Amino acid sequence: MNSYLSMLVVGLGVGAVYAALATGLVAIHKGTGIVNFAQGAMAMWSVYTFDEIRKTGTWILPVGSVPVGDAFATALTVALLSAAGLGVLVHVLVFRPLRHAPQLAKVVATIGIMISMQALVVLRFSSQPRTVAALLPSDALSWGGVAFSRDRLYLSAIAGLAAVAVWAYYRFTRIGLATRAASENETAAALFGYSPDLLAGITWALAGTVTAFAAIMAAPTTGLNPTNYTLYVVPALAVALMARLQSLGAACAAGLALGAVQSEIVFLSSQTWWPQWARSGAADTLPFVVIVVCLFVFGRSIPGRGGGETDSLPEVRLPRMRPAVVALWAGVGLALLLVTSGSYRFGVVTTMIMAVVALSLVVLTGLVGQISLAQAAFAGAAGFALSKLSTNAHVPFPLSLLLAGLVAAVLGVLVGLPALRIRGAQLALVTLAGALTIERFLFRNPSFSAPGGEPVQDASLFGLDLAVRKGEDLLRLPFAVMVLVVLLLVVLAVGNLVRGDTGRAFLAVRSNERAAAAAGVNVASTKLLAFAIASFLAGIGGCLIGYSRGQLSVESFGVTSGLAFLAFAYLGGITSISGAVVAGLLAPGGLFFVFFDRAVDMGEYYLLVSGLGLVLTAVLNPNGIADKLRPGPLPKPVRRLVARPRPKAAMGAPLTPASHEGDS
């Protein structure tokens, strides 16, 4: 019994981090209405800043550095000022322009900030894990026969004091009361002489400072690397939802409890009676379960931001899918494969594969408005299923490809079940937690996947060898052409889907679920169908990734990869087929990346540039890059010559002359 109680106390260390992050999340949501997925990544920068000053006496800036000495007081002051300044900067440059933007743009912006901060930490501090020197007394205590480290109690107290401080700010200060009032009605607050922008900036600074302080104090017990604090936001969001994004005390208590229970699960899973297959990642499934239960129980009662926020999404452009144009682009793709070799041909093939994955997000997010951060997890599930089917069961190609895609479709429907009650940022949270669960419980579980990766059997069709490499040829043309054919089939399928009755139902649900239901559309089945189709397409992309590399590893399908998938799909244009192709060009490993890496020798900066580009796209042009690349109207004689009957307008999405794609 003493061992069980000791493990509960041990879990208070990471629980304090959850509680502090949840306090910051609730504070920002109360003051601005934003669910900040980048909360952990922003706190991570302050922790690295503190640790670097303590070790070297140097204040590392995004560009350059300043010697400041290695005193504890200096390090802590600079780190906290960095946290406050970062919060203000994010508000002024990103979320102030997005005040009345749709939820998708805000979610994408927070993801862009998360990606940018993680990339910046790797560039400025390296990706190697760090050990942070102890800051709190850690001598052992014994109470009632239970031994534990004293620092866990201090960390719990710090998390509690942080929550009390933020609560007191909102409850007893004039600025805090004005912030709460502005969160309900910005116009009324402005009439009383309070600037909503100033109040929101103070909220971001306060939340960043409080979170950073607790994270710095807890870093010696949790360790420090560019991933852990970034992903701590998932359990923190889980406990924030338990508090309905309103109660700071409940969020703090739930964070401490979640850390303690996870620690207990880790201890229990080490016992001999615990099932072998459930030992890896068992504790990481708990936040996903908590999130789903909270959203199903009181998801509709979680408050949102007032002030006239619009639910509009980027414009959907219905493709014409003219055979001549499709054939032209197929010829362009084949020509690129023929004239390239080596890394550039691999870049072309990767572009095609990532375009398939991006098309899954066009279907789910662009057409139905359901935000998913789990497409990489679905792609990985299909890839690992393909490995089992091709190497163990010897299922031939392309049947193995289709069956693996169906595995991803089933998994997508299961993760998408909460979409029957929620959407927007809440659904993004569910899919993020689901992706983390799939990664930790399946991909990193020795019972389901080998530690060194899963081999994928080379494909062949009617005696034609479709292996990706043979001898000195590292990327054979037959394989590359096979990828091109798969991409064309997927493009045609998505194009016909968009123009058909199913596409009209998707657009109706995207526009207004109640109106769609009144028009006879089964909203629940339509959403689940969208998740199934999108997950199937992501699974096809994951299988192609497996074929192209000959072996699958968890690093290819981690949570950060899922964030990148949505990032590049949105950057290219998440509502159009041409946007998916642009996303493939921009994606890591794609043609632009290869050129950026080989010609400019700046590949290490690519993820940072991509994250910043994603934020700029969300702020300046929600329709994506493909919209800017669209050519202007043709001369009248040419328009008459190539005129075709227009498709009828989709339900809930009236078309304008600019609402068709002329390039796909």
Side-chain angles (χ1 to χ4, degrees), residues 182 205 514:
R514 294 181 180 178

Side-chain angles (χ1 to χ4, degrees), residues 176-188:
L177 292 171
T179 302
R180 292 173 58 190
S183 68
E184 298 295 333
N185 191 319
E186 290 184 354
T187 303

Side-chain angles (χ1 to χ4, degrees), residues 55-104:
K55 289 178 177 176
T56 67
T58 303
W59 179 12
I60 301 295
L61 299 169
V63 178
S65 59
V66 179
V68 294
D70 59 358
F72 173 83
T74 300
L76 184 61
T77 301
V78 170
L80 296 182
L81 288 175
S82 298
L86 180 60
V88 173
L89 194 66
V90 165
H91 164 67
V92 172
L93 297 182
V94 181
F95 292 107
R96 179 181 177 183
L98 290 175
R99 182 189 308 164
H100 300 295
Q103 280 289 340
L104 175 60

Side-chain angles (χ1 to χ4, degrees), residues 162-249:
V164 170
V166 176
W167 171 80
Y169 166 78
Y170 277 120
R171 180 67 177 82
F172 297 112
T173 67
R174 293 178 63 86
I175 296 178
L177 292 171
T179 302
R180 292 173 58 190
S183 68
E184 298 295 333
N185 191 319
E186 290 184 354
T187 303
L191 290 175
F192 279 93
Y194 293 98
S195 168
D197 287 331
L198 178 60
L199 295 175
I202 294 174
T203 298
W204 278 95
L206 174 65
T209 303
V210 169
T211 303
F213 178 74
I216 290 170
M217 294 295 106
T221 64
T222 61
L224 186 60
N225 63 68
T227 302
N228 60 354
Y229 275 93
T230 302
L231 297 182
Y232 280 158
V233 73
V234 176
L237 282 165
V239 298
L241 286 176
M242 292 177 69
R244 303 195 184 191
L245 292 171
Q246 286 293 296
S247 174
L248 293 161

Side-chain angles (χ1 to χ4, degrees), residues 64 98 205 223 305 329 570 633:
L98 290 175
R305 173 72 160 170
W329 284 111
Y570 191 89

Side-chain angles (χ1 to χ4, degrees), residues 399-411:
L399 181 59
S400 57
L401 180 71
L402 297 175
L403 291 177
L406 290 176
V407 170
V410 172
L411 194 60

